[in-house]
Each structure stands twice: as C-alpha cells, then as structure tokens.
Amino acid sequence: MSPALRIRRRAVPAHGPWRDMHPVLQRIYAARGACDDAAALLRLARLHPPAELGGIDAATALLAEAIAADRHIVVVGDFDCDGATGTATAVLGLRMLGAGRVSYQVPHRVQHGYGLSPALVEVLAERAPDLVLTVDNGIACLAGVAAARARGWRVVVSDHHLPGPALPAADAIVNPNAPGCAFPSKCMAGVGVVFYLLLALRRRLQDAGTFAGAPPDLAELLDLVAVGTVADLVRLDYNNRVLVAAGLRRLREGRCRPGLRALAEVAGRRLETLSTTDIGFALAPRLNAAGRLDDMGLGIECLLADDPQRAREYAAALDGINAERRALQQQMVDEADRLAAAVGLEQGAAPLALSLFDPGWHPGVVGLVASKLKERLHRPVVAFAPADEGADELRGSARSIPGFHIRDALAAVDAAHPGLIPRFGGHAMAAGLTLPLAHLERFGAAFQAEVERGLDAELLEQELASDGPLAADDFCRELAELLRAAGPWGQGFPEPVFDNAFEVLDCRELSGGRHLRLRLRASDGGPVLSAIRFGWDGVPPPARIHAAYQLEPDDFRERRDIQLLLRHIAPA
C-alpha cells in the first residue's frame, strides 16, 4: 500500500461556462483559478509587454550598440536545462537580430563553480569579449561581474533568481525579481527572461530602421523557451502558460530545433503527442545530465545544431551520459537512505530536516539525491558533496516542501551565523550553497534549528490534491486526449488527478515486483479499466480500494485505449 497521506479535493469556484469546453475540463481549470475565457484561453498577444521589465532599456541599448559595431558578445549560461535552453535562445536570437560575433561559455560545475565567477572570467579573457550577457545567472555573481568590468568588458545580467542584499555592479540588470522591477510575472525562468530581452531588442532595432524587410520571427525560439520553463519547475502563471503552450504547439507540429526532435526520438517520445510530463521526465534529464557529469556545452551544441544527423549524434551522447547519471544517482540515493535512517535511529525519530554528506558523492547529482529524499520523507533536505576531489569545500543542494521557503531559510541561517555559508542562492523550493568542510556540523545544527523555528508542523502532513471523482462515462479516450492536450500542466497549474472507489478485479506484478498492473471497475459501475502503479511497495491491494489517479491515453502498440496511472492506493 502507499504511504499514509490525505486526499484533499480541490474547491471549485463559480466559473464559465466556456464555449466548447468539456465539463470536466471546466471544473479543472476553475479549480486552478482560470474561471473565465480570458484566463483559460492562452494567446501570445496577451503576454505582459517587455517594456515593463526593469533595466530593459539599458540592456537593449548596450546590445544594439554591440551589434551595430560588430563587437564580440559572449553569452554565459548555467549548467542546467534552463541555462542550456536559455544560452541557445540567446545565441540563436542574437544571430537572428544581426549579431555577427556571438559565442557562449558555460562554467564547469567543478572547475569554475556557478555562473560568472572570477575563475570563469580568467577563461573568457582569452577570447577578449567586448560584452558579456549572462543567462540564468549573474544576480548573485558580484565578484565575477566586478572582475569582468575590471577588464573593461560591458556586462548585461539577465537572470530570474532572487537577489541577495547587494546587486552586482553590472552595466544593466534584467530580472523580474530585482528590487523595484514592476514586471507582473515574477516567476519566469531564465530562458523566459532572455527571450523577453530579445523581444525588446528586436523592437529597438526595428524602431531604428535596422531591418530592410520584416523583422526576424523570434517565435521560432519558443520550443526552447517551453522546454527550459517546464524543466526549471517555475510556477506556470498565465504568462508562463502562454509561453509553454506556444512552444508545445511548435514541438507537436514538428516545427522545432533538430536537437529537440532528436532528444524526443532517443527518449522514445512522439512529438505529435509530446506533453509537459515528457519534457520534465525525458527531454530535460538528458540535457541536465551533461551539466551534472560532464560539460553542458554538449547539450547546448545539440540545441544549436542545424543538421539533423549531427543533432542525433549529440542526442545519443546525451542519452549515454544520462544512463550513467541514473546509475550513479541510484547508488547515491541508496547511501542517502542509509544515512537518513541512521540519523532517525540516533535521535529516536526522524528530524524535521536533514543535512547529509558523503565524501564519495558527485556534486552534480546531489540535487537529485536531495529531491528524492525530500519526496520520500516530506521534509527539507540538504545534500552535500566535495566540490572537487580532495577539496575542503563542499557543494550543497537544498530541496524543500510546499510552504517552507528554502532560500529564505538559508538567508536566515546566514544572518544568524555570519561567515558560515560563503555563497548561496535559489528559490522557494530549491537552492544551492557552498560550505567549507569544517563548517558542516555547525551548518547542520543551524539549519535544523531554523527549520524547527520556521516550519509549521501541519506542512509535514502529506497531502494529495484531487479534482474529485470521474463519472462512468468520463472513463473514455476522448477525455484522456483532451486532458493530455490541455493545460499546459506544471508547477502551480498541476496535472489533473482524480479519485474514486474501485473494485479490484485482477492484479499482477511487473518488473520483478517493482510495479503493479491492475484491472479495476468503479464502484458505481462503468467499464473495466486497466491501471498501473509504479513504485509498488509489495503489499497486495484489498478487493475494494480508494485510489487517486491520472487518466491517460494508452498508445502502447497502437492500441488507442486508456489507462489509470495510480498515484495513491488505500482501502476503500
């Protein structure tokens, strides 16, 4: 059986009705705050205007001047999927807008650390750039920006991370979360911010009469924007949903970068039915793997490739790195489970937060370890690994549960213990930090104390939000396809989950007992339904169950059926 949790049915406010929308979809949209046509129908024309972003005029002026003077622009990205798609978007977009000399550099996680660091500036000095454009980093890179400016380079920061108490001394900063920025959508990903910067730059160049004919169509970059936005788990407010929906349309219609097509192929996903789940669990991990274990340059080259065969070669290499990452991740998660169990036994009960370290862990995978433990234990987790072999500095990744802001918790620890954490940054649900090995024990105690002070005990009760039951007639292919095509689903606009009571007609083990295949019938009647439970705990279900599930099309071997993906099983 599944771990104990509470199923909470979402409240459905007054809404619609909308024209030509299935009643179940109306209920789902309304429960997520989209209660009328304006909120439910996604239109690019309704995006917030780029002019509302603070710093946008200064940034576009610098970029326009660099393009006109044929100056060398270097894009400095991040080593995750948001950073990779953002870097590719910036490079392609600047070239489309007339930049003749554009290159990119992504720091190596171990050799250079995060973002525009002084170590990376030393590497860039060989290229002698005139302007550095950061993508998905920079707001916390005070020393790196200062080092770049000291060499006479112009620096434009485009980022979305929360700023610290001081801002970098850049020539321009474009960040919806920067102090004083009035941009309404505070949750754009790094790729979304740089896409907006390109939109504003195109407007500036167009107003200056730069283009002889029609301006370049930057909508061609929306496939990259969609992948990076979904992968970074930012909240899908209306603005982000518009961007993701437009990018998904391009992907499903095959009007996408050859590298994204190749990644879908190597992952066994069909472009015509590609979903945000496919992006999050198939495309993004293969791009992320390059930055975790190797050089994210491989992922960016895959996205930049114009030749389909070359793109397939890059995608195959990324698939191989991802397989290596999965094996290493499983090993590290098993070790983390043992460490977590030891901590719980020593203290008599599992603590409210965990801070774990193993000298053999890889710094590129600790974020995944923290995520896995956070999901299993439902409490904040920080996992540390050596920054480099034999190094006395640690790299940590922190992950949190809904309702507890992990970046603010690190800021509180830093304020209470000055000098304990040399560097940190991040979001509400995820953050990163560096720590001297000698500070590890002190940090663990300080972090635990901050969680005990700021975490409401009610947040530790696991809860699964449901969109209520489906009627017998709703278990059909039509609704399953509508749900797959709707949304887009993601953080803050979650994929629909339903709950019903069922009779268990039959069940059998799959994959050596790791998964369970069932045949069910809803207690109030209806068709016999195929269902699957991944990560089964080995306890046979009773004859009657109450299950939370997702309704999905089942296209295996072209059968065009439906199946229930069971998220939780309990006795009826």
Side-chain angles (χ1 to χ4, degrees):
M1 304 300 289
S2 304
L5 57 74
R6 181 169 66 94
I7 295 177
R8 174 184 59 83
R9 289 184 175 174
R10 292 187 174 93
V12 182
H15 61 85
W18 299 280
R19 294 186 300 273
D20 302 323
M21 184 180 288
H22 193 286
V24 172
L25 272 181
Q26 292 185 30
R27 164 177 124 209
I28 289 167
Y29 273 84
R32 286 153 182 76
C35 295
D36 54 31
D37 280 327
L41 302 178
L42 306 178
R43 299 285 185 265
L44 283 170
R46 294 186 56 217
L47 283 173
H48 297 309
E52 295 181 357
L53 270 168
I56 200 80
D57 287 340
T60 55
L62 288 164
L63 288 167
E65 179 188 13
I67 291 173
D70 194 31
R71 295 198 172 100
H72 183 195
I73 302 172
V74 176
V75 177
V76 173
D78 191 15
F79 36 59
D80 65 359
C81 186
D82 184 18
T85 54
T87 300
T89 296
V91 170
L92 293 167
L94 288 170
R95 289 173 180 169
M96 291 168 69
L97 296 175
R101 292 197 294 156
V102 182
S103 62
Y104 73 89
Q105 181 73 49
V106 176
H108 190 282
R109 188 184 295 266
V110 174
Q111 297 171 10
H112 309 118
Y114 168 77
L116 182 62
S117 64
L120 191 68
V121 169
E122 291 295 323
V123 174
L124 292 177
E126 299 177 5
R127 301 195 212 172
D130 298 298
L131 185 148
V132 171
L133 169 64
T134 72
V135 175
D136 192 32
N137 73 94
I139 200 68
C141 301
L142 278 66
V145 170
R149 292 285 306 280
R151 292 180 176 272
W153 309 342
R154 297 293 185 91
V155 179
V156 175
V157 167
S158 78
D159 200 354
H160 70 123
H161 294 94
L162 297 172
L167 296 177
D171 294 278
I173 296 175
V174 180
N175 182 338
N177 290 300
C181 181
F183 192 73
S185 176
K186 301 297 184 183
C187 47
M188 274 199 300
V191 66
V193 174
V194 80
F195 178 71
Y196 257 71
L197 178 56
L198 293 169
L199 291 176
L201 177 60
R202 181 180 64 178
R203 168 56 63 186
R204 176 180 284 273
L205 295 174
Q206 189 174 6
D207 290 345
T210 303
F211 308 117
D217 184 9
L218 295 178
E220 294 178 12
L221 304 172
L222 283 168
D223 53 348
L224 294 170
V225 177
V227 170
T229 299
V230 170
D232 214 46
L233 298 178
V234 294
R235 186 169 65 86
L236 293 189
D237 63 357
Y238 183 85
N239 215 61
N240 278 339
R241 284 167 51 223
V242 169
L243 293 171
V244 172
L248 267 177
R249 278 196 299 273
R250 297 190 70 89
L251 284 157
R252 289 168 177 168
E253 294 167 2
R255 297 183 297 127
C256 60
R257 298 295 305 169
L260 293 178
R261 178 188 292 275
L263 286 169
E265 289 174 356
V266 79
R269 300 302 200 273
R270 297 170 55 194
L271 280 181
E272 314 90 81
T273 57
L274 199 75
S275 67
T276 52
T277 300
D278 294 322
I279 291 173
F281 289 92
L283 273 63
R286 285 165 171 80
L287 282 169
N288 274 327
R292 293 188 186 282
L293 300 187
D294 204 319
D295 178 5
M296 184 46 97
L298 180 63
I300 295 170
E301 287 300 313
C302 180
L303 299 177
L304 292 176
D306 290 319
D307 176 58
Q309 179 55 38
R310 190 66 174 150
R312 282 191 287 270
E313 292 170 2
Y314 284 128
L318 290 169
D319 189 52
I321 296 171
N322 189 54
E324 179 185 351
R325 185 273 306 169
R326 291 176 65 181
L328 179 58
Q329 175 186 333
Q330 188 58 57
Q331 174 188 334
M332 289 171 58
V333 167
D334 290 344
E335 293 166 353
D337 281 336
R338 288 193 288 271
L339 288 173
V343 171
L345 288 173
E346 181 182 330
Q347 300 189 2
L352 292 185
L354 287 174
S355 177
L356 304 174
F357 165 70
D358 188 287
W361 284 354
H362 192 291
V365 187
V366 287
L368 299 174
V369 172
S371 291
K372 288 292 185 184
L373 259 70
K374 181 265 296 186
E375 292 168 7
R376 292 183 188 179
L377 302 175
H378 196 65
R379 61 198 63 229
V381 175
V382 187
F384 289 98
D388 200 355
E389 187 174 350
D392 291 330
E393 185 177 70
L394 305 180
R395 296 273 169 77
S397 284
R399 297 295 184 269
S400 191
I401 59 177
F404 186 77
H405 198 299
I406 194 70
R407 191 260 176 202
D408 286 356
L410 293 178
V413 171
D414 180 58
H417 305 271
L420 181 64
I421 312 174
R423 292 183 299 279
F424 69 93
H427 309 286
M429 299 291 286
L433 67 157
T434 60
L435 196 72
L437 177 59
H439 291 186
L440 181 63
E441 187 173 345
R442 284 178 57 210
F443 170 82
F447 180 65
Q448 176 72 19
E450 176 58 29
V451 174
E452 290 177 353
R453 185 196 67 79
L455 180 64
D456 189 331
E458 291 183 2
L459 297 176
L460 292 175
E461 181 182 359
Q462 293 196 60
E463 184 178 83
L464 180 61
S466 166
D467 291 289
L470 288 181
D473 292 343
D474 292 330
F475 292 106
C476 62
R477 177 80 185 192
E478 176 195 5
L479 180 57
E481 290 184 346
L482 284 173
L483 293 172
R484 179 168 63 184
W489 315 113
Q491 193 78 12
F493 207 82
E495 194 164 4
V497 172
F498 309 97
D499 71 281
N500 285 72
F502 294 97
E503 300 174 37
V504 178
L505 306 178
D506 179 57
C507 63
R508 59 188 175 88
E509 297 179 5
L510 299 176
S511 303
R514 290 186 298 155
H515 313 310
L516 189 66
R517 170 68 71 183
L518 306 93
R519 288 195 314 128
L520 308 174
R521 179 183 282 117
S523 295
D524 56 358
V528 174
L529 303 162
S530 175
I532 190 165
R533 172 64 166 149
F534 292 113
W536 179 48
D537 60 8
V539 179
R544 289 173 54 82
I545 61 172
H546 182 216
Y549 60 91
Q550 293 167 224
L551 177 66
E552 297 187 333
D554 183 2
D555 297 320
F556 185 64
R557 294 180 178 171
E558 306 298 326
R559 67 180 57 166
R560 293 191 58 78
D561 204 341
I562 62 170
Q563 74 170 1
L564 308 186
L565 175 59
L566 301 182
R567 297 279 303 277
H568 178 70
I569 302 174

